[in-house]
Amino acid sequence: MRKLIFIAFMVMSVCGYAQKYEVGTTTAVWKAPAAADFLHAKAIGVKYVEVAFNQCYRGVPVDEVIPRIKEMKAKIDSADIEVWSIHLPFSRTLDISVLDDRLRKENVDFMAEMIELCAMFQPTCLVLHPSSEPIADSIRAQRIANASESIAYLKKYADRIGAQLCIENLPRTCLGNTPEELMRIVGDIPDVKVCFDTNHYTKGTTEHFVAIVGSRIGTIHASDFDLVNECHWLPTQGNIKWGKLMQDLEKTGYKGVFMYEATKDHENNNVRPALERIAETFDKITDDYKTLK
């Protein structure tokens, strides 16, 4: 019996056996998601979605936010597609790191309310921005401390609904623009993880990011860029080495969804990508990954 197990293990190794990732997409791939969009996604093999709460929040009258969230839930349920994650609201002013304690409390309390609303979706992960921008170097340390305090508070709400809180790396002067700084923000908060946005890390390689954050990666936002500034192109349309990234994620033990946050098809005049293009590029990534095994 042991000999058979050993042979099976060797066959899997030689053939490049690997954990299979499922592909998902943000609801932001659609300007106004409809129930038919979710049905279409599931039909072509996109099994998971990340609900972008900004579609129900930004520019929406306060009294319409909760009804729009419930409407989104009904559309998703009608397609029987699974919610992997929810991207909590963000804006220039909705910032959990601000120096004004009164304003920070208002922002954190609002975010706690949003987390409570997430419970109806039963998400595995919640994605949260640690700040907005710009942030001057002179106040960066205090903003980091404020973000950490806010995240520790909000984690209790995530725990109550059984969701994993994941803090997203951000570009430019935002907090968490390097993996080292992101770990400084979340490192002392047990069980808080990271959302690795592949087109937000402009100061180094994906290999470096994964090496630093490792098993703290709880979910990803997959999109491509020119290595200069965020572009949100479909993966394989920029300069990221996707097969290598998939391999690196596997080595960390990542078992989540390969969640696309790609809202532009760079090969088609930067229009919103068709779902078939998501499936097509994911197949390219998988094929590239297999050549590395």
Side-chain angles (χ1 to χ4, degrees):
M1 182 65 178
R2 289 182 180 177
K3 185 176 180 180
L4 289 174
I5 293 173
F6 175 76
I7 291 171
F9 173 78
M10 290 303 294
V11 168
M12 287 189 296
S13 297
V14 170
C15 293
Y17 175 82
Q19 169 187 313
K20 179 181 178 182
Y21 290 116
E22 298 286 0
V23 66
T25 183
T26 173
T27 60
V29 76
W30 303 287
K31 186 175 182 179
D37 294 319
F38 296 119
L39 282 167
H40 182 204
K42 189 170 183 181
I44 66 169
V46 179
K47 298 182 179 180
Y48 295 87
V49 293
E50 173 173 281
V51 182
F53 262 25
N54 259 13
Q55 291 179 304
C56 308
Y57 159 74
R58 186 175 287 184
V60 175
V62 174
D63 60 345
E64 291 184 20
V65 172
I66 293 177
R68 290 197 183 200
I69 290 172
K70 291 181 177 179
E71 182 183 1
M72 180 81 81
K73 172 70 163 52
K75 292 174 182 177
I76 291 170
D77 285 351
S78 70
D80 195 28
I81 196 168
E82 189 166 346
V83 173
W84 165 254
S85 49
I86 294 179
H87 197 316
L88 292 165
F90 61 92
S91 71
R92 183 60 61 91
T93 57
L94 185 56
D95 188 328
I96 64 170
S97 75
V98 291
L99 300 184
D100 184 320
D101 287 339
R102 179 193 58 80
L103 181 56
R104 182 162 69 93
K105 183 179 185 304
E106 288 180 3
N107 288 341
V108 171
D109 286 347
F110 174 78
M111 207 67 75
E113 181 183 357
M114 292 296 102
I115 291 175
E116 289 177 332
L117 286 170
C118 291
M120 70 177 80
F121 293 88
Q122 297 183 297
T124 298
C125 299
L126 302 175
V127 177
L128 174 65
H129 282 191
S131 78
S132 62
E133 63 176 341
I135 297 177
D137 290 344
S138 60
I139 60 172
R140 197 168 192 88
Q142 186 58 55
R143 294 284 290 265
I144 288 172
N146 286 0
S148 295
E149 182 178 319
S150 299
I151 290 164
Y153 178 82
L154 291 170
K155 180 187 178 297
K156 299 173 185 177
Y157 286 83
D159 289 347
R160 288 176 193 171
I161 70 166
Q164 174 68 64
L165 187 59
C166 298
I167 310 306
E168 183 175 355
N169 63 296
L170 299 173
R172 298 177 299 273
T173 68
C174 296
L175 297 185
N177 60 13
T178 68
E180 290 84 358
E181 184 171 271
L182 196 57
M183 291 306 295
R184 182 179 170 192
I185 293 168
V186 305
D188 293 332
I189 312 173
D191 300 323
V192 168
K193 294 200 172 187
V194 163
C195 171
F196 178 26
D197 188 304
T198 59
N199 95 142
H200 280 172
Y201 182 41
T202 63
K203 298 177 182 294
T205 64
T206 59
E207 292 93 333
H208 176 73
F209 190 100
V210 173
I212 296 298
V213 179
S215 62
R216 291 293 288 265
I217 297 174
T219 190
I220 68 169
H221 282 166
S223 63
D224 220 330
F225 73 130
D226 56 8
L227 306 184
V228 177
N229 201 357
E230 59 181 331
C231 299
H232 289 282
W233 296 333
L234 280 169
T236 72
Q237 294 185 340
N239 295 316
I240 292 175
K241 299 175 182 177
W242 287 98
K244 180 66 166 61
L245 174 57
M246 184 176 280
Q247 184 182 65
D248 290 344
L249 286 170
E250 182 189 37
K251 289 177 181 177
T252 71
Y254 180 68
K255 294 181 172 61
V257 171
F258 211 89
M259 181 59 67
Y260 273 47
E261 198 192 37
T263 55
K264 296 178 182 178
D265 187 337
H266 186 47
E267 295 174 0
N268 190 21
N269 299 317
N270 282 335
V271 299
R272 291 175 184 267
L275 289 176
E276 287 79 6
R277 296 283 283 149
I278 291 174
E280 175 188 329
T281 56
F282 186 65
D283 285 344
K284 288 181 181 178
I285 294 170
T286 303
D287 289 343
D288 186 25
Y289 163 80
K290 289 175 181 177
T291 66
L292 300 177
K293 295 300 287 182

